[in-house]
Amino acid sequence: QVQLVESGGGSVQAGGSLRLSCAASEIFGRICTGWFRQVEGKEREWIVASSRYVSNTMYADSVKGRFTVSKDDAKNTLYLQIDNLKLEDTAMYYCAAGRKWGSANFCSPARDASAYTYWGQGTQVTVYS
């Protein structure tokens, strides 16, 4: 099993930045990872998927250009840098991981929550104007 611990959420003014962290109990060579967000009453939304080693990352159109994934292998920690926050970014953010991947080394299907077996507890991001 893989444990994921998220942190870094908070309240930020629109246009500001925030960096979320996801500390994993497993090295990135053994898991593929992703990020999702969810608002009460709405479906969980895929926003980011990273391959093994976090060597490649895909972003949903809604966050592309504003969200950036990075990692710290020594800490087994994934980071999600969020810039130019928008009101619609307000949500609970979850990191997720899986141990099975496709030919491109992404969890498969990378955009679906069903592809991920392990989930963090979530960290709330609130954007205000």
Side-chain angles (χ1 to χ4, degrees):
Q1 65 183 43
V2 178
Q3 287 77 48
L4 303 172
V5 180
E6 296 157 301
S7 61
S11 296
V12 183
Q13 187 171 34
S17 298
L18 200 62
R19 189 178 75 162
L20 308 185
S21 297
C22 176
S25 64
E26 182 60 273
I27 60 174
F28 294 120
R30 293 171 61 91
I31 54 173
C32 42
T33 56
W35 289 86
F36 293 77
R37 64 186 183 185
Q38 187 169 30
V39 177
E40 288 187 8
K42 297 184 179 180
E43 294 183 356
R44 183 162 39 189
E45 177 189 13
W46 169 80
I47 52 172
V48 183
S50 295
S51 66
R52 283 200 303 151
Y53 301 103
V54 198
S55 56
N56 290 290
T57 299
M58 299 187 295
Y59 302 91
D61 289 342
S62 60
V63 305
K64 190 175 181 63
R66 299 188 299 114
F67 287 33
T68 305
V69 164
S70 61
K71 65 174 181 177
D72 185 333
D73 288 319
K75 297 180 179 180
N76 286 156
T77 297
L78 198 64
Y79 301 103
L80 181 63
Q81 177 68 36
I82 308 175
D83 295 318
N84 190 206
L85 278 157
K86 302 179 181 298
L87 293 177
E88 52 264 42
D89 291 324
T90 294
M92 182 71 73
Y93 283 71
Y94 300 90
C95 62
R99 287 189 181 277
K100 296 182 179 180
W101 44 83
S103 60
N105 291 317
F106 286 89
C107 293
S108 185
R111 298 173 178 81
D112 294 343
S114 63
Y116 304 86
T117 303
Y118 311 102
W119 295 82
Q121 293 182 303
T123 185
Q124 178 69 37
V125 171
T126 301
V127 184
Y128 60 89
S129 62

